Amino acid sequence: GFRGNAERGGSGHGKVDVVIMADESKEETLEVVKRKMSLKRCETCNMEEAKYRCPRCMKYSCSLACVKQHKTMYSCNGVREKTAFVPINQFCDLNLLSDYRFLEDVGRMADRAARDAASHRPRTNKFVNFLRNRARRYNIYLKTLPVGFTKRRENSTYFNNKEKKFYWHLKLIFPHSHAKFTEKRVPDDKPLCDILKHYVDPQESDPVICQRLKIYTMSPPSDIQILMKVEITPHISSRYKELDASKGLLDNLRGMTIIEYPSLHIVLKKFQTDMAVLGYSKNKDAEKPSEDLVRGSSSEEEGEIRDSS
């Protein structure tokens, strides 16, 4: 009996030793991690030892205040970028697992979208027909593109029943600076000169835009000409109609055909001789449209959009 108790006692001590060794191993692992972190200083305040590491930009931080400050300084959202490039010599099992889970998420989202009945439901033409009818009342012939075209998708034009007013999606093209800008919800009674003030007026325009459109801001307002392409014309070459800068879109668009939304070409009169402007026949060159403008307008017809920056 004594021997059996001794053996049982010995067995109990063995279990205790295993537990103690496991605890010591955990403590050693935590100590190693802590030692590695302590080798790094906080990259925000550069004073305290680092305790956290951002999963996105891999910056070290010591406190919640420094974490928030680093997000502001580096415009970081703290979310790990799943599609970030990893060199092949640094690629490990964790990266492989992350990529596998990312592909699983993509497949799950695609399957959910395929099962969504709303996405397969044909879009109603009520809103489009309403816009066409309202535009026709003002002698404006509004044409729309099929669903799927970029211009159809990005068009934000709507009609306010309460105010009895159109709010247009408007594209401004500055060919001499190779720049394009988009204005949304432009009232149909706002004069075009007021719309252009934010672009060509040195006092009111944004400094970045002012620098981009330097050739326009340095020119007198009287030298600026607003043109719009005539969509339906028997001529092979593009034709443009000059708009009145003192009037709004409603008065300028009467009797014209628009595809989705108006696109205005802002040109300088001293460079306009290579464009075919209706009502202008000063020289033979006026009948030849600008190659850049024709190329730009053709891409507009296809619904292409280029970044203004």
Side-chain angles (χ1 to χ4, degrees):
F2 177 76
R3 184 179 177 185
N5 289 336
E7 286 179 355
R8 283 195 293 271
S11 173
H13 281 296
K15 288 181 180 178
V16 172
D17 291 342
V18 170
V19 172
I20 291 173
M21 289 176 65
D23 290 341
E24 287 179 353
S25 176
K26 273 187 181 179
E27 288 178 2
E28 287 178 3
T29 304
L30 291 173
E31 191 66 29
V32 169
V33 173
K34 188 176 180 181
R35 199 181 305 119
K36 284 183 179 180
M37 292 289 289
S38 63
L39 293 175
K40 299 287 184 179
R41 287 276 179 184
C42 174
E43 297 185 50
T44 304
C45 65
N46 203 24
M47 294 175 63
E48 302 293 335
E49 292 181 357
K51 296 180 181 178
Y52 314 103
R53 192 176 188 183
C54 178
R56 187 176 185 87
C57 62
M58 309 305 285
K59 299 286 185 184
Y60 288 93
S61 304
C62 66
S63 62
L64 179 61
C66 286
V67 170
K68 291 182 176 179
Q69 188 177 350
H70 115 271
K71 287 183 178 181
T72 305
M73 288 172 59
Y74 300 102
S75 301
C76 178
N77 57 10
V79 180
R80 185 176 65 85
E81 190 177 359
K82 297 180 180 180
T83 58
F85 173 74
V86 179
I88 191 65
N89 58 349
Q90 298 178 14
F91 198 86
C92 60
D93 292 342
L94 287 177
N95 299 117
L96 180 62
L97 181 61
S98 174
D99 290 349
Y100 178 76
R101 288 177 176 170
F102 175 71
L103 292 175
E104 276 190 329
D105 291 340
V106 172
R108 198 176 299 114
M109 290 180 65
D111 183 63
R112 186 163 59 244
R115 293 171 183 269
D116 187 9
S119 62
H120 299 286
R121 198 176 301 150
R123 295 189 181 183
T124 177
N125 289 326
K126 274 187 178 180
F127 177 71
V128 176
N129 292 333
F130 173 75
L131 281 180
R132 287 176 184 166
N133 294 333
R134 287 294 177 180
R136 198 178 297 116
R137 290 186 183 183
Y138 295 101
N139 198 24
I140 299 172
Y141 304 100
L142 180 62
K143 306 290 183 182
T144 55
L145 296 170
V147 175
F149 276 71
T150 305
K151 290 187 74 173
R152 171 89 287 272
R153 188 170 60 249
E154 71 182 4
N155 190 3
S156 61
T157 301
Y158 73 96
F159 184 83
N160 191 313
N161 265 322
K162 188 176 180 180
E163 300 178 7
K164 302 297 179 185
K165 185 188 296 185
F166 269 100
Y167 285 83
W168 290 97
H169 184 102
L170 180 66
K171 177 167 284 188
L172 301 174
I173 304 170
F174 298 84
H176 306 309
S177 296
H178 303 286
K180 297 180 182 181
F181 301 94
T182 300
E183 288 276 342
K184 294 185 177 181
R185 299 184 178 183
V186 179
D188 60 10
D189 57 352
K190 185 176 183 179
L192 299 183
C193 56
D194 291 344
I195 298 173
L196 292 181
K197 274 184 180 179
H198 300 291
Y199 298 93
V200 299
D201 191 338
Q203 304 299 326
E204 297 191 22
S205 64
D206 181 85
V208 177
I209 296 177
C210 186
Q211 181 63 29
R212 180 76 188 275
L213 304 177
K214 191 174 181 181
I215 191 172
Y216 291 91
T217 55
M218 294 178 64
S219 302
S222 58
D223 197 29
I224 295 176
Q225 193 176 25
I226 306 173
L227 304 178
M228 182 174 171
K229 183 185 174 185
V230 180
E231 297 293 351
I232 299 178
T233 173
H235 299 278
I236 298 176
S237 60
S238 300
R239 304 281 170 150
Y240 297 86
K241 178 184 177 182
E242 183 176 7
L243 305 184
D244 190 345
S246 62
K247 296 181 180 180
L249 286 170
L250 182 63
D251 294 329
N252 276 297
L253 298 180
R254 291 185 191 275
M256 295 192 69
T257 300
I258 303 169
I259 298 179
E260 288 295 344
Y261 54 80
S263 297
L264 307 185
H265 298 264
I266 318 303
V267 300
L268 298 175
K269 291 182 180 178
K270 56 186 175 183
F271 299 123
Q272 67 90 29
T273 53
D274 58 349
M275 294 182 64
V277 182
L278 296 179
Y280 283 78
S281 57
K282 293 180 180 179
N283 49 50
K284 294 181 181 179
D285 293 336
E287 297 299 321
K288 299 178 181 177
S290 169
E291 186 178 343
D292 291 338
L293 288 174
V294 171
R295 189 183 301 115
S297 59
S298 63
S299 63
E300 299 266 329
E301 291 173 355
E302 296 169 2
E304 180 184 338
I305 279 196
R306 295 180 184 175
D307 189 3
S308 59
S309 60

